Amino acid sequence: MQAPAITNALTIDVEDYFQVSAFAPYISRSDWERRECRIERNVQRILAMLAERQIRATFFTLGWIAERYPALVRDIVAGGHELASHGYGHERASDLDLQAFHADVTRAKGLLEDIGGVAVKGYRAPSFSIGTGNLWALETLLRTGHRYSSSIYPIAHDHYGMPDSPRFAYQTEQGLLEVPVTTLRLFDRNIPSSGGGYFRLLPYGVTRWMLQRLNRTEREAAIFYFHPWEIDPAQPRIDGIDAKTRFRHYVNIDRNEAKLARLLGDFRWGRMDDIFLDRQPVLSSATLANAV
Ligand SMILES: [Zn+2]
């Protein structure tokens, strides 16, 4: 008998092209208000792609975006998707002290819940910026009513990562569930297999092979992520940036929507909370009898 197909988590980090961490040295926050926003067009496009395929996903949304585009937040919820938090202003958690982090995640959660009318359970730190140096942030998330985080990337990378952390969902010492984005274990290293720039860079067949291997061999759900600006070849170009940043941001952006469409069709997808939170403990018949 064939094993049942595994449902993978589809996640979208809702921020605009000028808010990505790699552009921070080039675009000041005070300049954000003056930039042409592309977020509505791009998120609507994603919502249409998902509706067409009856896929539900998790949208880790910036408070800054929610404040300016409340109708978009309501459309995400109306589409049957999970509304989750990406913090307020896309500041790396590792750049904030406890007080500032507490304020940032509280503000974002409050805004999203007021606008969306649903409880926000999940949080993803900008640029996966929780790691060895700031694990206290997990306790703050728990205290502010979050139920899971997807913020610790178990790889070595120049901007983020905690290579020795677990690859699959785990209960942290701080008591919060951490659901890391997907890596593949190859040649004694964890290889990023979860989306973002790597998905655009690698041929589609490589990603498909990695996720198939994860589902079939390891019998685990993948956690895949992308950004709305990654399906927008017409976004205004940022001038004067260094070659590495330019490459990472724009590589294969013109082909990415079609690539994503294939990925959506080739695997089974769902929301983070449906996959990782709603596993109710199995009650024995004796417990059930006592409960009556
Ligand atoms: Zn982000």
Side-chain angles (χ1 to χ4, degrees):
M1 199 185 90
Q2 209 183 2
I6 288 181
T7 302
N8 301 291
L10 185 67
T11 70
I12 297 106
D13 291 356
V14 180
E15 68 203 39
D16 220 331
Y17 65 96
F18 51 83
Q19 298 176 311
V20 303
S21 297
F23 285 164
Y26 308 99
I27 301 172
S28 69
R29 267 162 204 285
S30 54
D31 202 30
W32 284 5
E33 298 286 357
R34 288 193 290 275
R35 297 272 161 182
E36 178 197 341
C37 262
R38 307 277 297 171
I39 196 74
E40 280 183 294
R41 175 243 181 228
N42 293 333
V43 170
Q44 291 298 353
R45 211 163 169 89
I46 293 165
L47 289 174
M49 284 172 84
L50 299 181
E52 201 180 305
R53 296 164 179 83
Q54 295 180 309
I55 291 172
R56 291 176 174 193
T58 293
F59 287 72
F60 292 101
T61 305
L62 281 185
W64 193 96
I65 295 286
E67 217 169 36
R68 284 155 183 84
Y69 300 96
L72 196 60
V73 171
R74 287 189 279 268
D75 285 347
I76 290 170
V77 174
H81 305 291
E82 180 190 4
L83 182 64
S85 167
H86 196 33
Y88 179 78
H90 213 263
E91 282 173 282
R92 285 193 175 114
S94 49
D95 289 344
L96 302 176
D97 63 15
L98 199 151
Q99 256 188 328
F101 181 72
H102 187 280
D104 182 276
V105 298
T106 305
R107 187 179 182 191
K109 192 171 188 284
L111 269 167
L112 291 166
E113 291 182 340
D114 285 351
I115 296 166
V118 290
V120 165
K121 295 164 271 184
Y123 169 80
R124 174 173 288 153
S127 303
F128 306 105
S129 53
I130 297 181
T132 326
N134 62 341
L135 289 172
W136 51 262
L138 299 171
E139 212 179 305
T140 304
L141 289 170
L142 196 65
R143 284 199 188 146
T144 47
H146 298 83
R147 293 186 58 200
Y148 74 91
S149 147
S150 178
S151 310
I152 303 179
Y153 207 160
I155 58 159
H157 181 281
D158 55 354
H159 291 163
Y160 46 75
M162 185 171 159
D164 297 329
S165 58
R167 290 173 54 223
F168 302 119
Y170 59 103
Q171 203 67 34
T172 61
E173 269 177 43
Q174 291 73 16
L176 189 73
L177 179 73
E178 169 64 29
V179 188
V181 293
T182 294
T183 53
L184 207 63
R185 189 82 188 153
L186 274 183
F187 316 115
D188 276 341
R189 292 183 56 180
N190 293 342
I191 311 292
S193 335
S194 42
Y198 300 103
F199 178 68
R200 279 181 283 121
L201 179 63
L202 299 169
Y204 174 68
V206 175
T207 296
R208 188 178 50 197
W209 175 81
M210 292 196 290
L211 297 194
Q212 276 174 347
R213 188 173 142 143
L214 194 84
N215 285 173
R216 289 175 187 168
T217 312
E218 299 199 78
R219 305 292 305 149
E220 292 282 351
I223 290 87
F224 185 88
Y225 80 98
F226 68 101
H227 304 91
W229 54 264
E230 289 185 285
I231 56 158
D232 184 10
Q235 66 188 274
R237 289 295 192 264
I238 308 297
D239 295 327
I241 57 178
D242 66 88
K244 188 162 86 171
T245 301
R246 189 183 318 118
F247 180 75
R248 280 182 177 172
H249 192 90
Y250 298 114
V251 63
N252 294 333
I253 213 158
D254 52 334
R255 279 178 268 167
N256 207 41
E257 187 175 323
K259 212 172 184 180
L260 271 170
R262 285 186 72 185
L263 185 79
L264 296 183
D266 284 348
F267 293 87
R268 182 180 291 198
W269 298 102
R271 298 163 44 145
M272 291 281 266
D273 58 347
D274 282 346
I275 301 171
F276 295 101
L277 292 185
D278 290 346
R279 289 176 182 164
Q280 298 296 331
V282 179
L283 297 174
S284 69
S285 42
T287 314
L288 284 173
N290 287 337
V292 173

